[in-house]
mmCIF file of all heavy atoms in Angstrom:
data_model
loop_
_atom_site.group_PDB
_atom_site.id
_atom_site.type_symbol
_atom_site.label_atom_id
_atom_site.label_comp_id
_atom_site.label_asym_id
_atom_site.label_seq_id
_atom_site.Cartn_x
_atom_site.Cartn_y
_atom_site.Cartn_z
ATOM 1 N N PHE H 66 -43.509 13.096 -91.702
ATOM 2 C CA PHE H 66 -44.936 12.538 -91.506
ATOM 3 C C PHE H 66 -44.934 11.138 -92.196
ATOM 4 O O PHE H 66 -44.382 10.912 -93.236
ATOM 5 C CB PHE H 66 -45.970 13.425 -92.004
ATOM 6 C CG PHE H 66 -46.353 14.683 -91.224
ATOM 7 C CD1 PHE H 66 -46.102 15.912 -91.722
ATOM 8 C CD2 PHE H 66 -46.711 14.522 -89.906
ATOM 9 C CE1 PHE H 66 -46.343 16.979 -90.955
ATOM 10 C CE2 PHE H 66 -47.066 15.638 -89.117
ATOM 11 C CZ PHE H 66 -46.901 16.919 -89.659
ATOM 12 N N THR H 67 -45.721 10.241 -91.659
ATOM 13 C CA THR H 67 -46.186 9.046 -92.307
ATOM 14 C C THR H 67 -47.608 8.938 -92.362
ATOM 15 O O THR H 67 -48.392 9.490 -91.449
ATOM 16 C CB THR H 67 -45.567 7.848 -91.524
ATOM 17 O OG1 THR H 67 -46.144 7.823 -90.201
ATOM 18 C CG2 THR H 67 -44.037 7.798 -91.478
ATOM 19 N N ARG H 68 -48.198 8.369 -93.431
ATOM 20 C CA ARG H 68 -49.573 8.237 -93.688
ATOM 21 C C ARG H 68 -50.312 7.301 -92.614
ATOM 22 O O ARG H 68 -49.556 6.264 -92.268
ATOM 23 C CB ARG H 68 -49.906 7.842 -95.033
ATOM 24 C CG ARG H 68 -49.407 8.891 -96.000
ATOM 25 C CD ARG H 68 -49.622 8.495 -97.496
ATOM 26 N NE ARG H 68 -51.061 8.321 -97.784
ATOM 27 C CZ ARG H 68 -51.576 7.914 -98.896
ATOM 28 N NH1 ARG H 68 -50.724 7.645 -99.932
ATOM 29 N NH2 ARG H 68 -52.785 7.782 -99.186
ATOM 30 N N THR H 69 -51.420 7.451 -92.335
ATOM 31 C CA THR H 69 -52.229 6.561 -91.440
ATOM 32 C C THR H 69 -53.365 5.991 -92.131
ATOM 33 O O THR H 69 -53.780 6.556 -93.196
ATOM 34 C CB THR H 69 -52.743 7.324 -90.151
ATOM 35 O OG1 THR H 69 -53.637 8.378 -90.522
ATOM 36 C CG2 THR H 69 -51.552 7.851 -89.349
ATOM 37 N N ALA H 70 -53.990 4.901 -91.640
ATOM 38 C CA ALA H 70 -55.078 4.305 -92.363
ATOM 39 C C ALA H 70 -56.378 5.155 -92.405
ATOM 40 O O ALA H 70 -57.207 4.894 -93.289
ATOM 41 C CB ALA H 70 -55.441 2.911 -91.689
ATOM 42 N N ASP H 71 -56.526 6.141 -91.504
ATOM 43 C CA ASP H 71 -57.803 6.839 -91.444
ATOM 44 C C ASP H 71 -57.694 8.170 -92.291
ATOM 45 O O ASP H 71 -58.519 9.123 -92.064
ATOM 46 C CB ASP H 71 -58.025 7.205 -90.076
ATOM 47 C CG ASP H 71 -56.967 8.059 -89.308
ATOM 48 O OD1 ASP H 71 -55.908 8.326 -90.003
ATOM 49 O OD2 ASP H 71 -57.216 8.459 -88.198
ATOM 50 N N GLY H 72 -56.693 8.271 -93.089
ATOM 51 C CA GLY H 72 -56.603 9.418 -94.003
ATOM 52 C C GLY H 72 -55.817 10.598 -93.436
ATOM 53 O O GLY H 72 -55.898 11.757 -93.972
ATOM 54 N N GLY H 73 -55.078 10.331 -92.330
ATOM 55 C CA GLY H 73 -54.242 11.440 -91.809
ATOM 56 C C GLY H 73 -52.782 11.145 -91.893
ATOM 57 O O GLY H 73 -52.328 10.231 -92.701
ATOM 58 N N VAL H 74 -52.003 11.848 -91.164
ATOM 59 C CA VAL H 74 -50.522 11.699 -91.103
ATOM 60 C C VAL H 74 -50.130 11.821 -89.559
ATOM 61 O O VAL H 74 -50.731 12.508 -88.749
ATOM 62 C CB VAL H 74 -49.701 12.786 -91.935
ATOM 63 C CG1 VAL H 74 -49.948 12.406 -93.435
ATOM 64 C CG2 VAL H 74 -50.095 14.166 -91.569
ATOM 65 N N GLU H 75 -48.931 11.032 -89.336
ATOM 66 C CA GLU H 75 -48.359 11.102 -87.962
ATOM 67 C C GLU H 75 -46.966 11.557 -88.110
ATOM 68 O O GLU H 75 -46.176 11.259 -89.012
ATOM 69 C CB GLU H 75 -48.532 9.718 -87.299
ATOM 70 C CG GLU H 75 -49.821 9.271 -86.844
ATOM 71 C CD GLU H 75 -49.721 7.886 -86.162
ATOM 72 O OE1 GLU H 75 -48.745 7.209 -86.275
ATOM 73 O OE2 GLU H 75 -50.811 7.565 -85.509
ATOM 74 N N TRP H 76 -46.544 12.347 -87.127
ATOM 75 C CA TRP H 76 -45.213 12.939 -87.037
ATOM 76 C C TRP H 76 -44.313 11.822 -86.543
ATOM 77 O O TRP H 76 -44.550 11.009 -85.684
ATOM 78 C CB TRP H 76 -45.227 14.106 -85.979
ATOM 79 C CG TRP H 76 -43.985 14.790 -85.763
ATOM 80 C CD1 TRP H 76 -42.987 15.064 -86.830
ATOM 81 C CD2 TRP H 76 -43.451 15.351 -84.597
ATOM 82 N NE1 TRP H 76 -41.943 15.756 -86.181
ATOM 83 C CE2 TRP H 76 -42.150 15.919 -84.875
ATOM 84 C CE3 TRP H 76 -43.897 15.317 -83.282
ATOM 85 C CZ2 TRP H 76 -41.423 16.507 -83.950
ATOM 86 C CZ3 TRP H 76 -43.084 15.827 -82.273
ATOM 87 C CH2 TRP H 76 -41.880 16.446 -82.573
ATOM 88 N N ASP H 77 -42.989 11.882 -87.109
ATOM 89 C CA ASP H 77 -42.074 10.866 -86.765
ATOM 90 C C ASP H 77 -41.335 11.272 -85.400
ATOM 91 O O ASP H 77 -40.508 10.487 -84.891
ATOM 92 C CB ASP H 77 -41.042 10.667 -87.881
ATOM 93 C CG ASP H 77 -40.256 11.800 -88.247
ATOM 94 O OD1 ASP H 77 -40.280 12.843 -87.496
ATOM 95 O OD2 ASP H 77 -39.530 11.823 -89.306
ATOM 96 N N GLY H 78 -41.591 12.406 -84.927
ATOM 97 C CA GLY H 78 -40.943 12.791 -83.665
ATOM 98 C C GLY H 78 -39.596 13.476 -83.792
ATOM 99 O O GLY H 78 -39.056 14.031 -82.760
ATOM 100 N N ASN H 79 -39.041 13.481 -85.018
ATOM 101 C CA ASN H 79 -37.693 14.091 -85.242
ATOM 102 C C ASN H 79 -37.712 15.207 -86.133
ATOM 103 O O ASN H 79 -37.087 16.244 -85.729
ATOM 104 C CB ASN H 79 -36.735 12.865 -85.795
ATOM 105 C CG ASN H 79 -36.589 11.808 -84.728
ATOM 106 O OD1 ASN H 79 -36.414 11.991 -83.537
ATOM 107 N ND2 ASN H 79 -36.748 10.489 -85.286
ATOM 108 N N SER H 80 -38.232 15.164 -87.275
ATOM 109 C CA SER H 80 -38.159 16.233 -88.301
ATOM 110 C C SER H 80 -38.971 17.416 -87.829
ATOM 111 O O SER H 80 -40.146 17.266 -87.353
ATOM 112 C CB SER H 80 -38.703 15.741 -89.638
ATOM 113 O OG SER H 80 -38.005 14.563 -90.101
ATOM 114 N N ASN H 81 -38.398 18.560 -87.937
ATOM 115 C CA ASN H 81 -39.108 19.794 -87.583
ATOM 116 C C ASN H 81 -38.488 20.955 -88.309
ATOM 117 O O ASN H 81 -37.230 21.268 -88.195
ATOM 118 C CB ASN H 81 -38.915 20.029 -86.089
ATOM 119 C CG ASN H 81 -39.948 20.980 -85.574
ATOM 120 O OD1 ASN H 81 -40.768 21.599 -86.330
ATOM 121 N ND2 ASN H 81 -39.947 21.235 -84.220
ATOM 122 N N PRO H 82 -39.161 21.537 -89.228
ATOM 123 C CA PRO H 82 -40.631 21.363 -89.452
ATOM 124 C C PRO H 82 -40.874 20.042 -90.286
ATOM 125 O O PRO H 82 -39.882 19.620 -90.929
ATOM 126 C CB PRO H 82 -41.033 22.572 -90.256
ATOM 127 C CG PRO H 82 -39.855 23.024 -90.978
ATOM 128 C CD PRO H 82 -38.602 22.778 -89.996
ATOM 129 N N ALA H 83 -42.110 19.594 -90.282
ATOM 130 C CA ALA H 83 -42.506 18.404 -90.987
ATOM 131 C C ALA H 83 -43.517 18.875 -92.029
ATOM 132 O O ALA H 83 -44.208 19.794 -91.795
ATOM 133 C CB ALA H 83 -43.019 17.334 -90.098
ATOM 134 N N THR H 84 -43.517 18.191 -93.188
ATOM 135 C CA THR H 84 -44.360 18.568 -94.272
ATOM 136 C C THR H 84 -45.190 17.438 -94.922
ATOM 137 O O THR H 84 -44.697 16.349 -94.840
ATOM 138 C CB THR H 84 -43.648 19.394 -95.448
ATOM 139 O OG1 THR H 84 -42.655 18.348 -95.989
ATOM 140 C CG2 THR H 84 -42.848 20.457 -94.921
ATOM 141 N N VAL H 85 -46.321 17.767 -95.381
ATOM 142 C CA VAL H 85 -47.079 16.762 -96.205
ATOM 143 C C VAL H 85 -47.679 17.505 -97.357
ATOM 144 O O VAL H 85 -48.276 18.544 -97.198
ATOM 145 C CB VAL H 85 -48.150 16.071 -95.320
ATOM 146 C CG1 VAL H 85 -49.095 17.039 -94.642
ATOM 147 C CG2 VAL H 85 -49.045 15.145 -96.273
ATOM 148 N N THR H 86 -47.485 16.913 -98.560
ATOM 149 C CA THR H 86 -47.951 17.528 -99.792
ATOM 150 C C THR H 86 -49.098 16.605 -100.322
ATOM 151 O O THR H 86 -48.877 15.426 -100.510
ATOM 152 C CB THR H 86 -46.926 17.740 -100.747
ATOM 153 O OG1 THR H 86 -45.898 18.621 -100.254
ATOM 154 C CG2 THR H 86 -47.505 18.355 -102.133
ATOM 155 N N TYR H 87 -50.241 17.254 -100.708
ATOM 156 C CA TYR H 87 -51.313 16.402 -101.229
ATOM 157 C C TYR H 87 -52.009 17.235 -102.369
ATOM 158 O O TYR H 87 -51.923 18.436 -102.404
ATOM 159 C CB TYR H 87 -52.354 16.037 -100.123
ATOM 160 C CG TYR H 87 -53.044 17.155 -99.462
ATOM 161 C CD1 TYR H 87 -54.240 17.659 -99.930
ATOM 162 C CD2 TYR H 87 -52.539 17.677 -98.362
ATOM 163 C CE1 TYR H 87 -54.879 18.685 -99.321
ATOM 164 C CE2 TYR H 87 -53.135 18.733 -97.660
ATOM 165 C CZ TYR H 87 -54.363 19.269 -98.203
ATOM 166 O OH TYR H 87 -55.021 20.290 -97.616
ATOM 167 N N ARG H 88 -52.739 16.502 -103.275
ATOM 168 C CA ARG H 88 -53.603 17.096 -104.247
ATOM 169 C C ARG H 88 -55.034 16.973 -103.848
ATOM 170 O O ARG H 88 -55.396 16.015 -103.181
ATOM 171 C CB ARG H 88 -53.350 16.392 -105.575
ATOM 172 C CG ARG H 88 -51.998 16.726 -106.224
ATOM 173 C CD ARG H 88 -51.959 16.261 -107.701
ATOM 174 N NE ARG H 88 -50.623 16.615 -108.276
ATOM 175 C CZ ARG H 88 -49.776 15.733 -108.728
ATOM 176 N NH1 ARG H 88 -50.162 14.441 -108.650
ATOM 177 N NH2 ARG H 88 -48.593 16.105 -109.217
ATOM 178 N N THR H 89 -55.751 17.959 -104.172
ATOM 179 C CA THR H 89 -57.231 17.982 -103.866
ATOM 180 C C THR H 89 -58.068 18.581 -104.952
ATOM 181 O O THR H 89 -57.538 19.449 -105.697
ATOM 182 C CB THR H 89 -57.425 18.679 -102.558
ATOM 183 O OG1 THR H 89 -58.872 18.542 -102.101
ATOM 184 C CG2 THR H 89 -57.102 20.114 -102.585
ATOM 185 N N ASP H 90 -59.283 18.086 -105.081
ATOM 186 C CA ASP H 90 -60.254 18.735 -106.074
ATOM 187 C C ASP H 90 -60.509 20.166 -105.725
ATOM 188 O O ASP H 90 -60.817 20.411 -104.592
ATOM 189 C CB ASP H 90 -61.499 17.938 -106.149
ATOM 190 C CG ASP H 90 -61.174 16.427 -106.604
ATOM 191 O OD1 ASP H 90 -60.292 16.230 -107.391
ATOM 192 O OD2 ASP H 90 -62.044 15.611 -106.246
ATOM 193 N N ALA H 91 -60.298 21.060 -106.677
ATOM 194 C CA ALA H 91 -60.522 22.446 -106.535
ATOM 195 C C ALA H 91 -61.967 22.897 -107.106
ATOM 196 O O ALA H 91 -62.484 23.956 -106.671
ATOM 197 C CB ALA H 91 -59.424 23.270 -107.273
ATOM 198 N N THR H 92 -62.419 22.188 -108.069
ATOM 199 C CA THR H 92 -63.680 22.511 -108.598
ATOM 200 C C THR H 92 -64.868 22.029 -107.807
ATOM 201 O O THR H 92 -64.888 20.792 -107.422
ATOM 202 C CB THR H 92 -63.803 21.955 -110.073
ATOM 203 O OG1 THR H 92 -62.772 22.726 -110.845
ATOM 204 C CG2 THR H 92 -65.082 22.361 -110.718
ATOM 205 N N VAL H 93 -65.822 22.867 -107.443
ATOM 206 C CA VAL H 93 -67.004 22.473 -106.759
ATOM 207 C C VAL H 93 -68.164 22.825 -107.586
ATOM 208 O O VAL H 93 -68.411 24.048 -107.876
ATOM 209 C CB VAL H 93 -67.004 23.156 -105.304
ATOM 210 C CG1 VAL H 93 -68.214 22.761 -104.516
ATOM 211 C CG2 VAL H 93 -65.758 22.851 -104.479
ATOM 212 N N ARG H 94 -69.159 21.954 -107.770
ATOM 213 C CA ARG H 94 -70.284 22.205 -108.448
ATOM 214 C C ARG H 94 -71.540 21.884 -107.723
ATOM 215 O O ARG H 94 -71.552 21.204 -106.706
ATOM 216 C CB ARG H 94 -70.375 21.231 -109.786
ATOM 217 C CG ARG H 94 -69.298 21.499 -110.756
ATOM 218 C CD ARG H 94 -69.471 20.449 -111.883
ATOM 219 N NE ARG H 94 -68.437 20.512 -112.916
ATOM 220 C CZ ARG H 94 -68.686 21.134 -114.128
ATOM 221 N NH1 ARG H 94 -69.794 21.663 -114.383
ATOM 222 N NH2 ARG H 94 -67.692 21.156 -114.994
ATOM 223 N N SER H 95 -72.559 22.527 -108.152
ATOM 224 C CA SER H 95 -73.983 22.386 -107.499
ATOM 225 C C SER H 95 -74.988 22.894 -108.505
ATOM 226 O O SER H 95 -74.611 23.558 -109.468
ATOM 227 C CB SER H 95 -74.088 23.096 -106.178
ATOM 228 O OG SER H 95 -74.102 24.471 -106.350
ATOM 229 N N GLY H 96 -76.208 22.636 -108.185
ATOM 230 C CA GLY H 96 -77.257 23.277 -108.986
ATOM 231 C C GLY H 96 -77.337 24.715 -108.676
ATOM 232 O O GLY H 96 -76.883 25.193 -107.627
ATOM 233 N N ALA H 97 -77.887 25.613 -109.568
ATOM 234 C CA ALA H 97 -78.021 27.045 -109.354
ATOM 235 C C ALA H 97 -78.840 27.171 -108.042
ATOM 236 O O ALA H 97 -79.972 26.785 -107.980
ATOM 237 C CB ALA H 97 -78.655 27.671 -110.523
ATOM 238 N N ASP H 98 -78.266 27.908 -106.965
ATOM 239 C CA ASP H 98 -79.005 28.007 -105.758
ATOM 240 C C ASP H 98 -79.025 29.495 -105.430
ATOM 241 O O ASP H 98 -79.031 29.729 -104.209
ATOM 242 C CB ASP H 98 -78.258 27.217 -104.636
ATOM 243 C CG ASP H 98 -76.820 27.434 -104.517
ATOM 244 O OD1 ASP H 98 -76.321 28.373 -105.111
ATOM 245 O OD2 ASP H 98 -76.188 26.740 -103.731
ATOM 246 N N GLN H 99 -79.055 30.365 -106.307
ATOM 247 C CA GLN H 99 -79.295 31.832 -106.024
ATOM 248 C C GLN H 99 -79.940 32.477 -107.227
ATOM 249 O O GLN H 99 -79.659 32.072 -108.335
ATOM 250 C CB GLN H 99 -77.840 32.405 -105.793
ATOM 251 C CG GLN H 99 -77.867 33.810 -105.130
ATOM 252 C CD GLN H 99 -76.570 34.354 -104.981
ATOM 253 O OE1 GLN H 99 -75.861 34.743 -105.900
ATOM 254 N NE2 GLN H 99 -76.081 34.390 -103.752
ATOM 255 N N PRO H 100 -80.822 33.386 -106.999
ATOM 256 C CA PRO H 100 -81.461 34.034 -108.086
ATOM 257 C C PRO H 100 -80.512 34.627 -109.004
ATOM 258 O O PRO H 100 -79.543 35.241 -108.654
ATOM 259 C CB PRO H 100 -82.347 35.137 -107.416
ATOM 260 C CG PRO H 100 -82.582 34.552 -106.022
ATOM 261 C CD PRO H 100 -81.311 33.900 -105.662
ATOM 262 N N GLY H 101 -80.807 34.532 -110.319
ATOM 263 C CA GLY H 101 -79.944 35.191 -111.356
ATOM 264 C C GLY H 101 -78.743 34.186 -111.739
ATOM 265 O O GLY H 101 -77.970 34.669 -112.589
ATOM 266 N N ALA H 102 -78.580 33.041 -111.166
ATOM 267 C CA ALA H 102 -77.537 32.181 -111.591
ATOM 268 C C ALA H 102 -78.044 31.012 -112.430
ATOM 269 O O ALA H 102 -79.076 30.430 -112.058
ATOM 270 C CB ALA H 102 -76.712 31.645 -110.367
ATOM 271 N N GLU H 103 -77.236 30.627 -113.370
ATOM 272 C CA GLU H 103 -77.711 29.531 -114.196
ATOM 273 C C GLU H 103 -76.766 28.475 -114.457
ATOM 274 O O GLU H 103 -77.022 27.462 -115.102
ATOM 275 C CB GLU H 103 -78.176 30.096 -115.623
ATOM 276 C CG GLU H 103 -79.255 31.140 -115.600
ATOM 277 C CD GLU H 103 -79.549 31.695 -116.994
ATOM 278 O OE1 GLU H 103 -78.857 31.358 -117.911
ATOM 279 O OE2 GLU H 103 -80.602 32.372 -117.023
ATOM 280 N N GLY H 104 -75.518 28.491 -113.873
ATOM 281 C CA GLY H 104 -74.563 27.553 -114.084
ATOM 282 C C GLY H 104 -74.472 26.533 -112.941
ATOM 283 O O GLY H 104 -75.428 26.388 -112.235
ATOM 284 N N THR H 105 -73.242 25.963 -112.841
ATOM 285 C CA THR H 105 -73.071 24.855 -111.795
ATOM 286 C C THR H 105 -71.902 25.144 -110.855
ATOM 287 O O THR H 105 -71.757 24.290 -109.928
ATOM 288 C CB THR H 105 -72.913 23.513 -112.552
ATOM 289 O OG1 THR H 105 -71.843 23.534 -113.372
ATOM 290 C CG2 THR H 105 -74.295 23.188 -113.286
#
Side-chain angles (χ1 to χ4, degrees):
F66 282 119
T67 57
R68 299 177 62 180
T69 61
D71 62 355
V74 291
E75 288 183 346
W76 181 42
D77 64 11
N79 296 314
S80 303
N81 197 357
T84 63
V85 54
T86 299
Y87 62 90
R88 293 193 177 116
T89 185
D90 295 333
T92 296
V93 179
R94 294 175 181 262
S95 71
D98 55 5
Q99 193 180 72
E103 299 178 353
T105 60

